[in-house]
Amino acid sequence: MKETKHIAIVGAGLVGSLLSIYLAKRGYRVSVYERRLDMRKHLIEGGRSINLALSNRGIRALEAVGLAEVLRQNAIPMHGRMIHDETGNLNFQPYGKTGQFINSVSRGGLNMVLMTEAEKHGVEFFFEHRCLGVDFAKTELTLQEYEAVKHKSFDLIIGSDGAFSAVRGAMQFTDRFEYHQTYIEHGYKELRIPASDSGDYLLEPNALHIWPRESYMLIALPNPDRTFTCTLFLPFEGPSSFEQLNSKEAIQDFFEKNFADAVPMMPTLQEDFRDNATASLVTIRCYPWVRNKTLLIGDASHGIVPFFGQGMNAGFEDCRVLNELLDKHDDKWKKVLPEFQELRKPDADAIAQLALDNFIEMRDLVADEDFILRKKIEARLHERFPDKWIPLYTMVTFRDDLRYSYALETGRKQKAIMDEVLRRPGIVKNWETINLEEIVNKL
């Protein structure tokens, strides 16, 4: 018999649902407790983005449980960024080499597929169960269902209940628990671009559209129903901010001035702006992730901002890495838990930093001529020396065999080398004749 038989997972979101499949397939009895209603039966209101970018790390984790192909069928490939400048001109920037792309997927649709698959493997879901507390010594959850409060003991508890985790909240009252949360000055609001009257896409569907405006930006991701989900990232306060957009006239003026080519495609702009909440963006760092037989995973242990499209992918990679450690240690959780947190903590910190850095790139740099030249030289380096010079975006998004911590460290080295290259006299005219081997050797 396995030393751990009955596992409780708190949180039926993407990571909790995928992890429950991994554990059920290993022969564990798994119970998942979720404070919200079952989204398969009820329309769930939420402030979080309804689109996610599924890339290689997430796909690899889904492949391990036989789900990648099902989800690919419901995903829309995005081969690069389509940059919209202030005059409406378009500039397409590929993400990687030909054939490399990320996938726009529906958060809710993916979550429902995972929950239904989990139930097929015997996982039990308990909705409208709020976690009130955790007794780490007894491995016991205190749960509230309507007015009833109950205490349930398990062999193991896993908190996958998101950036505002109740399980982590309980850990914060334990000795020597480190916790940091950092909000950026920007918030976000969901908007939409509908399909055309003929039922077609109004923008190129196989791209992630960005309207970069230095301190803020608008993005749009395609949906299977020919619509686009748009997200406005804007400071909460200041000259150009949500605080200033306090009337229909102010909203209209702001959009017509900054996103003129998008406005004709957004007939419900005013209604969407009024009805959709403005949400904040937080980075969560904490340690340890383990207390006795209770583990934190996904956003509960490392919530990040969405600007590298890696939040879900990092959480799914957590599930795969945990499963591989269970293979390695023959399901001996006493060995698995400490090794898991030691292995994943540096990668969690790295992707948190990379996501913050990429926000600056998306809103400030993608329209910058030096940045575009840098990308051209890097693409040429990667083409000539594919194993020696791998662009940072490729390392993070397309190379699931490279750790986030490696990508961060190598990306910093590459940036320092490229900064030097771009300072060379006449580089704008002469870049195609530079000695690529000399640059690679510096790395």
Side-chain angles (χ1 to χ4, degrees), residues 194-233:
S196 70
D197 292 340
S198 61
D200 217 340
Y201 286 106
L202 287 170
L203 293 167
E204 164 57 50
N206 297 118
L208 190 157
H209 293 262
I210 308 179
W211 290 257
R213 299 297 182 259
E214 294 191 354
S215 66
Y216 52 91
M217 67 176 178
L218 179 72
I219 68 169
L221 278 78
N223 297 310
D225 63 359
R226 307 292 195 272
T227 65
F228 283 84
T229 300
C230 303
T231 310
L232 174 65
F233 296 97

Side-chain angles (χ1 to χ4, degrees), residues 286-349:
C286 68
Y287 201 76
W289 297 353
V290 177
R291 276 284 183 257
N292 195 20
K293 294 178 183 173
T294 299
L295 167 70
L296 299 175
I297 198 168
D299 282 356
S301 53
H302 52 78
I304 65 174
V305 294
F307 304 114
F308 224 123
Q310 288 295 306
M312 168 184 65
N313 292 289
F316 282 4
E317 190 171 68
D318 281 350
C319 299
R320 177 182 65 77
V321 170
L322 183 65
N323 191 60
E324 287 173 359
L325 289 174
L326 287 166
D327 286 340
K328 175 183 173 183
H329 294 296
D330 198 24
D331 289 81
K332 291 182 174 60
W333 286 88
K334 281 181 183 175
K335 291 183 178 178
V336 169
L337 293 176
E339 188 170 331
F340 175 77
Q341 66 176 357
E342 284 162 25
L343 187 65
R344 290 300 284 168
K345 173 63 172 165
D347 293 327
D349 288 344

Side-chain angles (χ1 to χ4, degrees), residues 268-288:
T268 57
L269 171 62
Q270 295 289 349
E271 293 84 349
D272 293 340
F273 209 94
R274 179 195 67 207
D275 297 340
N276 296 344
T278 305
S280 55
L281 294 160
V282 67
T283 300
I284 304 284
R285 293 182 176 91
C286 68
Y287 201 76

Side-chain angles (χ1 to χ4, degrees), residues 27 41 70 77 123 129 158 166 215 244 262 303 322 340 348 383 406 410:
K41 299 172 185 172
V70 176
V123 175
H129 279 65
I158 301 176
S215 66
Q244 301 297 318
L322 183 65
F340 175 77
E383 190 182 329
Y406 173 85
T410 307

